[in-house]
Amino acid sequence: MSTESTPLQSSAVINEAVQTLRDGGLVAFPTETVYGLGADAKNPEAIKKVFASKGRPSTHPLIVHVAAPDKFDQDQIDWVSVLAPWARDISESALKLIAAFWPGPLTLVFNKDKSVPSEATGGQDTVAIRAPAHPMTQDLLRKFKGGIVGPSANRFGKVSPTSASDVRNEFEGMLDLMVLDGGDCEVGIESTIIDLSSGDKPVLLRPGAITPSEILAKTGIQVYQPGEIKKTEEEAALPRVSGSLRAHYAPTTPLRLYAPGRVLDALSEFPDIKSRVAVAVWDSESSLVLEDHPSIDVEEVIVSSDSAAFASRLYRSLRDLDQQAWDLILFPEPPAGEEWDGVRDRLQRACFGSGPSSSSHASS
Ligand code: TXA
Ligand code: MG
């Protein structure tokens, strides 16, 4: 959400979006993370349209976006009544997390209220909820007076959109979609997801900009990695986080990571001569010299060595590079460290799913 580039969307446009949602239609909306493909979270037929438009399997649950009440004093917000139509068993820890991070890029998974349509939760008895920080979408949510389901507004398995024109390109010719233009997304990768449904231990389901260390520092709450918690076989079989597929967020151009200083090794993995290769290089590093490969036309793309700045540009770069007909895209392996976990997760899945057959990978 870059305020400078945010085109002001008139209240007439927001009213039209509200009406479209009430009529069971779809509206793409900006958030601080990525753009979402929105529908009324209590309308099963509208929710089905979201799955059909994305080509997403109906068992992959959606996030319900809720409004943050417009209070000058954040401590005055009664989050329990905001959550009442959606979630049960809201613990003290949940309220602490909410007070520290909402509105913002943190999604919490609760046991669901029985009124939440099973279409939204992929048939599961839990529901994922977040209050996004983008002012335009907060305005939309307040006027709509309901929850909006919103997966990232991309075809299933593809790169998530971080601008209104990305969304339009994604569904061009397929779907006549109302897209609210809120400028470029600031965070650039999807929200951190924490599962609170087991009651005792919060579990990290998807890494994002908000890290377990930041959560511990701000709330004193310890978040566990999924591997640290025992699951029943039945639980382990559920497709809880679609981003947990090995292939996701994928461009159609082959994408690989290279270890520090090892661009040539990554190229040798592709013995067929690659004539046009785009190589992302840290802004902190000197230029590449590839004298051994005179036949390869290498273009360097500078990427930020600050994790937040890198994340904010990641999908933009992948989309732009994907449009430029490179034979191969190389990105540097993100360094160790929790602040890189979200980016590393997205890049690894993007690599795995990349290439001309990316859609068949992604849905397998
Ligand atoms: O930043 C975001 O979270 C963006 C913006 C638009 O809010 N949304 C987003 O939605 O990334 P989507 O559908 O692309 O990813 C939502 C993730 C999925 O991986 C889904 O499996 C997981 O949330 N999820 C949803 N409900 C869940 C539940 N009840 N239990 C566990 N995971 C759930
Ligand atoms: Mg997504």
Side-chain angles (χ1 to χ4, degrees):
M1 153 194 70
S2 58
T3 36
E4 282 156 45
S5 65
T6 303
L8 286 177
Q9 209 86 91
S10 71
S11 63
V13 174
I14 299 291
N15 291 344
E16 188 190 334
V18 167
Q19 197 53 49
T20 303
L21 292 169
R22 292 207 176 120
D23 293 342
L26 305 186
V27 174
F29 58 91
T31 83
E32 71 281 31
T33 60
V34 301
Y35 274 70
L37 183 62
D40 178 353
K42 294 238 162 145
N43 181 338
E45 292 312 311
I47 297 169
K48 285 184 198 157
K49 287 186 203 161
V50 172
F51 282 96
S53 312
K54 272 188 69 95
R56 172 161 163 150
S58 61
T59 49
H60 287 272
L62 304 178
I63 296 172
V64 176
H65 298 75
V66 296
D70 193 9
K71 284 258 165 39
F72 177 72
D73 183 354
Q74 292 282 307
D75 291 342
Q76 297 289 305
I77 296 180
D78 177 7
W79 285 108
V80 174
S81 44
V82 172
L83 291 175
W86 311 101
R88 285 190 288 110
D89 311 325
I90 297 155
S91 63
E92 280 307 309
S93 301
L95 292 173
K96 263 196 204 169
L97 289 170
I98 288 171
F101 296 106
W102 280 11
L106 179 70
T107 295
L108 299 174
V109 175
F110 298 97
N111 290 317
K112 83 174 189 76
D113 185 82
K114 58 181 183 317
S115 66
V116 181
S118 63
E119 285 79 2
T121 64
Q124 300 184 41
D125 52 13
T126 55
V127 60
I129 307 183
R130 88 177 184 101
H134 198 291
M136 190 183 290
T137 293
Q138 277 297 330
D139 191 22
L140 174 72
L141 284 160
R142 285 188 198 122
K143 289 187 171 137
F144 180 57
K145 297 189 173 56
I148 299 179
V149 286
S152 50
N154 51 279
R155 302 274 304 150
F156 184 61
K158 297 297 187 182
V159 180
S160 304
T162 54
S163 72
S165 60
D166 290 347
V167 179
R168 289 189 203 103
N169 292 339
E170 197 69 20
F171 294 103
E172 190 146 44
M174 289 176 45
L175 187 64
D176 182 21
L177 181 66
M178 176 167 193
V179 182
L180 292 178
D181 188 345
D184 295 338
C185 302
E186 218 166 60
V187 175
I189 59 171
E190 300 83 351
S191 59
T192 304
I193 305 182
I194 307 242
D195 185 359
L196 299 173
S197 65
S198 73
D200 46 359
K201 293 183 172 157
V203 182
L204 181 70
L205 295 184
R206 180 172 72 184
I210 295 174
T211 61
S213 311
E214 188 185 354
I215 292 176
L216 185 64
K218 288 206 176 134
T219 64
I221 293 170
Q222 159 112 47
V223 173
Y224 293 81
Q225 298 291 330
E228 294 178 270
I229 303 287
K230 271 216 187 91
K231 278 192 213 148
T232 63
E233 256 175 53
E234 195 191 345
E235 279 169 339
L238 290 172
R240 289 164 76 85
V241 183
S242 67
S244 66
L245 295 173
R246 278 187 75 194
H248 215 82
Y249 317 112
T252 43
T253 312
L255 167 71
R256 293 292 178 276
L257 301 185
Y258 66 90
R262 310 301 284 260
V263 175
L264 289 179
D265 292 356
L267 284 175
S268 65
E269 230 196 275
F270 289 81
D272 309 342
I273 292 294
K274 293 286 169 245
S275 52
R276 299 191 70 238
V277 181
V279 184
V281 179
W282 298 117
D283 55 7
S284 52
E285 259 166 30
S286 56
S287 200
L288 296 168
V289 184
L290 294 175
E291 284 159 354
D292 296 351
H293 280 267
S295 59
I296 298 183
D297 167 16
V298 170
E299 183 161 311
E300 290 179 18
V301 182
I302 305 299
V303 289
S304 176
S305 40
D306 171 74
S307 60
F310 185 103
S312 126
R313 299 276 313 156
L314 174 61
Y315 291 151
R316 165 87 288 112
S317 310
L318 289 179
R319 275 179 180 271
D320 290 350
L321 291 168
D322 216 11
Q323 296 298 311
Q324 292 164 14
W326 299 100
D327 294 321
L328 175 67
I329 304 169
L330 295 177
F331 260 71
E333 267 171 18
E338 203 192 50
E339 73 277 22
W340 287 96
D341 283 355
V343 158
R344 190 178 317 104
D345 170 74
R346 304 313 191 277
L347 266 176
Q348 283 169 346
R349 293 181 213 284
C351 285
F352 192 78
S354 67
S357 62
S358 58
S359 51
S360 55
H361 268 221
S363 44
S364 63

